[in-house]
Amino acid sequence: MKSYRAAVLLSFLVGIGWLAAAQTLKPPVCGHTLTAIFRSPRPIRALDVQVTLPPGYSYVPGTTEIDCGGGFVPAPDPVIDGQTLTWYDPNDPEWNACDRVPGGVWARVRFRIEGDCTATGGTLVARWWWYEDGRQRYTERRQQVVVLFPDIT
């Protein structure tokens, strides 16, 4: 029986920019604050987080904050491979999103992504790897990203 919980939360910000010289409307830019959250009733260690963004969205550098049970703190940018963001260093097994997380506490990775509001949307996938009771475990969650302005051309 699974006793852990995981989720992906999205909040939305919309900004519309103008080109001063041509006085034409640029495609609206949608900014999203994304929070990947995870909780286990037991203490865990070596929590790694990976998020795959849908096409048309990109990570905003310098926006990562991680909470391993003591509140959000600024954190390094993820390793980026195409649309996949990973909070760990594959060449250093000692570098994790969270080294340790107390049992019953939410671990959270929060960051910003941006994309054209007229993009087609898609599926965001968040994955978590961790060690609990000496065994590595894994889970993933999928979240549909809905287009905010599908009729703007």
Side-chain angles (χ1 to χ4, degrees):
M1 181 172 88
K2 293 182 182 179
S3 58
Y4 50 84
R5 296 183 59 144
V8 180
L9 307 175
L10 288 173
S11 61
F12 302 94
L13 301 169
V14 178
I16 298 176
W18 291 88
L19 294 175
Q23 294 298 312
T24 58
L25 187 65
K26 294 192 307 186
V29 174
C30 288
H32 309 275
T33 298
L34 189 149
T35 307
I37 62 175
F38 176 87
R39 182 178 70 183
S40 173
R42 302 178 58 90
I44 63 170
R45 64 180 181 79
L47 177 66
D48 294 329
V49 180
Q50 185 179 76
V51 176
T52 301
L53 303 175
Y57 294 90
S58 61
Y59 172 77
V60 177
T63 62
T64 296
E65 298 176 300
I66 296 179
D67 174 7
C68 297
F72 280 109
V73 295
D77 287 335
V79 174
I80 300 174
D81 183 10
Q83 293 300 105
T84 300
L85 315 174
T86 306
W87 282 270
Y88 77 94
D89 182 343
N91 299 314
D92 181 2
E94 297 299 314
W95 194 94
N96 302 289
C98 293
D99 290 329
R100 298 192 181 282
V101 180
V105 173
W106 288 102
R108 303 177 294 171
V109 176
R110 180 170 65 194
F111 58 96
R112 295 223 30 241
I113 60 174
E114 289 183 341
D116 180 345
C117 293
T118 62
T120 59
T123 302
L124 182 145
V125 182
R127 299 172 186 89
W128 296 263
W129 290 267
W130 72 97
Y131 284 89
E132 184 179 322
D133 298 328
R135 293 180 40 208
Q136 187 172 34
R137 301 179 188 266
Y138 166 85
T139 191
E140 79 174 38
R141 293 293 179 264
R142 296 175 179 271
Q143 171 73 43
Q144 190 67 27
V145 177
V146 179
V147 178
L148 291 179
F149 300 109
D151 296 328
I152 293 178
T153 57

